[in-house]
Amino acid sequence: MNLNHLAGIIAAVLNYALIFFLYVFLYQALRLIVSDLRTTAAPKAPLVFYDQAVAKGRLIVVEGSPDLPSGTALPLGETVSIGRHEEHNDIVINAPVVSHEHACITFYRGNYWLSDLNSTNGTFVNGVRVSAETALNDGDLIRIGPITFRFER
C-alpha cells in the first residue's frame, strides 16, 4: 500500500466523520428549537373548583423561582398535579430535581391530601419526607425541589 492510497483513505474517513458530526449537530439544534417552541405554548386555563363552597384551598409560593415567583397564590381544585412536565401538570416546576409527574394534591373526605408520585427526590411536608398520602393542615410547608409552598385553607 503506497502513501498516496493511505492518504486518500484517511481523507475519505475524515470527510464521512465531518458529515456525521454535521448531521448530529443539526439534529441537536432541531431538538432544541422544538423544545423551545413547546415551552412557549399558550398558557393553561385556570383551575376550576368542582365545588367552591367546599374546596377552598390554595398554595402560596414561599421560596420560588423565576418561573414561579415568591408570593404567587395558586388555587387548588379537586385534583392538582405538580411536576416538571408542562403538558401533564397543573403546577409546573421547571427544575431538574423535580420529576415529570412529582406529586398530587386531591380534595376528598372534606380535606386536601398530598401524595408523592414515586418521585426520585421526594416531597416534603414541614421538613418530613412524604411516604404515604398525607392530610394537609392550614400552614403546612410543602417542599418540592427548589420550591416551597405554604398550604392555606
Side-chain angles (χ1 to χ4, degrees):
M1 183 182 295
N2 66 22
L3 194 57
N4 286 336
H5 185 68
L6 184 61
I9 292 173
I10 291 173
V13 168
L14 289 176
N15 282 336
Y16 285 118
L18 178 64
I19 291 170
F20 171 77
F21 286 115
L22 181 63
Y23 277 115
V24 169
F25 173 78
L26 290 174
Y27 172 75
Q28 293 294 338
L30 284 174
R31 266 188 48 202
L32 183 63
I33 291 169
V34 169
S35 173
D36 283 347
L37 288 174
R38 287 184 182 154
T39 59
T40 58
K44 291 183 178 184
L47 299 174
V48 177
F49 290 122
Y50 74 101
D51 184 354
Q52 290 186 343
V54 179
K56 290 189 178 183
R58 66 183 185 160
L59 296 177
I60 306 296
V61 179
V62 177
E63 293 179 27
S65 69
D67 296 333
L68 205 55
S70 297
T72 303
L74 303 164
L76 297 174
E78 182 179 6
T79 301
V80 176
S81 58
I82 304 169
R84 193 174 66 214
H85 196 282
E86 294 180 7
E87 294 176 13
H88 294 145
N89 294 293
D90 301 305
I91 298 173
V92 177
I93 301 174
N94 191 8
V97 295
V98 176
S99 297
H100 285 287
E101 295 173 348
H102 196 99
C104 182
I105 298 175
T106 307
F107 184 82
Y108 67 96
R109 296 190 315 222
N111 205 2
Y112 283 97
W113 299 81
L114 174 68
S115 300
D116 182 84
L117 302 176
N118 296 318
S119 66
T120 303
N121 295 306
T123 303
F124 298 82
V125 174
N126 300 323
V128 177
R129 188 173 183 148
V130 172
S131 59
E133 190 174 56
T134 303
L136 294 174
N137 298 305
D138 194 39
D140 280 348
L141 294 177
I142 303 165
R143 185 170 58 83
I144 298 175
I147 307 294
T148 301
F149 301 98
R150 182 179 64 248
F151 172 74
E152 291 184 353
R153 197 53 201 229

